[in-house]
Amino acid sequence: MPNAVIMLCAGQATRMRGAVADKVLAPLAGQTVLEHSLKAFREAAVADYFVFVIRDQEQRLAVSKVIVGLGGRFDKIRFATGGKERQDSVFSGLQAVPAEVKNVFIHDCARPLITVKSLRALTAAVKKDRAAVLAHRVVDTIKQTPPKAGKKLRLHKLKDLPRETLWAMETPQVFARELILKAYIKVRAKKLRVTDDVAAATLLGHAVTIVENSSPNPKLTHPEDFAWVELLLKKANG
């Protein structure tokens, strides 16, 4: 049975403060941000269908030009329209995934440093366990403010969180199609808010396998991230 990848392109880039109009189409080390992820998926050969979740027709045309420019086999392509929140965009993408698909990768295209090695490790994990996430260990000391602190930061008794139990979630996250679709249907039915796909799967009581990532895989969030990620790309490419 085939696999699919949902490529999330519809983010509004509000934290870019106007530095770039579209994160996934912005130039990065001589290519668009999107191209870096697409090339990794193509080389890894882990997905048959590509579902691009886009904002509007203008972005769809721009993404289509990127796909055509890459050449290769991107013939099983579908588009879906993004929603207000990330979870809405994921659900829209899931609706466009064919029923014959067994497993679905979900990837934030603002993470252009994914590797072939990681994609293949995730594929092996999802075949065994039906749910897997790329993640890295938290190395900083993490403190937690009281639940009612809100934005007030003065004079709190901070709680220590044992960092050996903490993991920072990345993408791709990959699941059996039926499992993650059922999870997001539940999220919508109960009007819940989740910030990643693992949280949705957890609502069903499903365990998730962590695939530890030893390579940098940051998300482009602020304007200054571009210089840092470009440096990492150049280092990775020798």
Side-chain angles (χ1 to χ4, degrees):
M1 295 178 72
N3 295 332
V5 53
I6 295 174
M7 307 290 282
L8 298 174
C9 304
Q12 297 296 324
T14 53
R15 287 174 288 184
M16 280 290 167
R17 305 189 296 272
V20 297
D22 190 322
K23 278 194 296 188
V24 301
L25 296 172
L28 180 70
Q31 303 171 27
T32 62
V33 171
L34 175 61
E35 284 176 87
H36 293 285
S37 293
L38 279 177
K39 284 186 173 182
F41 272 103
R42 184 172 65 180
E43 185 179 344
V46 295
D48 306 279
Y49 287 93
F50 285 78
V51 177
F52 295 88
V53 182
I54 45 86
R55 284 192 307 276
D56 49 34
Q57 183 65 17
E58 181 180 356
Q59 192 189 41
R60 175 173 176 159
L61 292 173
V63 168
S64 298
K65 287 182 180 178
V66 170
I67 296 168
V68 171
L70 281 175
R73 289 190 59 80
F74 287 110
D75 52 332
K76 294 181 178 179
I77 289 173
R78 298 190 175 191
F79 287 92
T81 302
K84 182 179 179 181
E85 303 287 345
R86 182 189 184 278
Q87 65 191 56
D88 302 316
S89 293
V90 173
F91 185 73
S92 179
L94 286 169
Q95 302 307 297
V97 173
E100 67 187 90
V101 165
K102 184 175 183 179
N103 301 310
V104 181
F105 290 85
I106 303 171
H107 182 56
D108 294 325
C109 292
R111 290 186 187 269
L113 290 177
I114 56 169
T115 66
V116 171
K117 179 182 178 181
S118 293
L119 291 175
R120 289 176 177 167
L122 285 166
T123 301
V126 77
K127 285 180 179 178
K128 291 181 180 179
D129 302 328
R130 302 186 75 226
V133 57
L134 196 64
H136 64 270
R137 296 178 185 272
V138 172
V139 296
D140 296 321
T141 296
I142 304 296
K143 304 283 187 179
Q144 184 181 51
T145 55
K148 296 182 179 180
K151 294 182 179 180
K152 297 179 181 179
L153 303 180
R154 293 190 65 212
L155 299 176
H156 291 302
K157 292 182 178 179
L158 301 176
K159 179 181 178 181
D160 280 295
L161 299 180
R163 79 183 158 195
E164 63 271 16
T165 68
L166 300 176
W167 291 79
M169 299 293 100
E170 302 177 8
T171 69
Q173 302 182 9
V174 57
F175 307 87
R177 184 190 66 85
E178 292 182 358
L179 184 158
I180 197 62
L181 179 58
K182 184 178 179 180
Y184 271 103
I185 289 173
K186 183 173 182 178
V187 167
R188 291 173 69 84
K190 292 184 172 292
K191 296 182 179 180
L192 302 174
R193 185 176 185 272
V194 294
T195 56
D196 78 340
D197 316 300
V198 168
T202 301
L203 288 172
L204 295 181
H206 202 286
V208 178
T209 293
I210 292 175
V211 174
E212 184 171 5
N213 189 8
S214 59
S215 301
N217 185 25
K219 185 175 181 181
L220 292 164
T221 304
H222 303 103
E224 52 271 21
D225 295 336
F226 273 84
W228 168 236
V229 172
E230 185 159 330
L231 180 65
L232 291 172
L233 275 169
K234 289 178 178 178
K235 183 177 180 180
N237 295 329

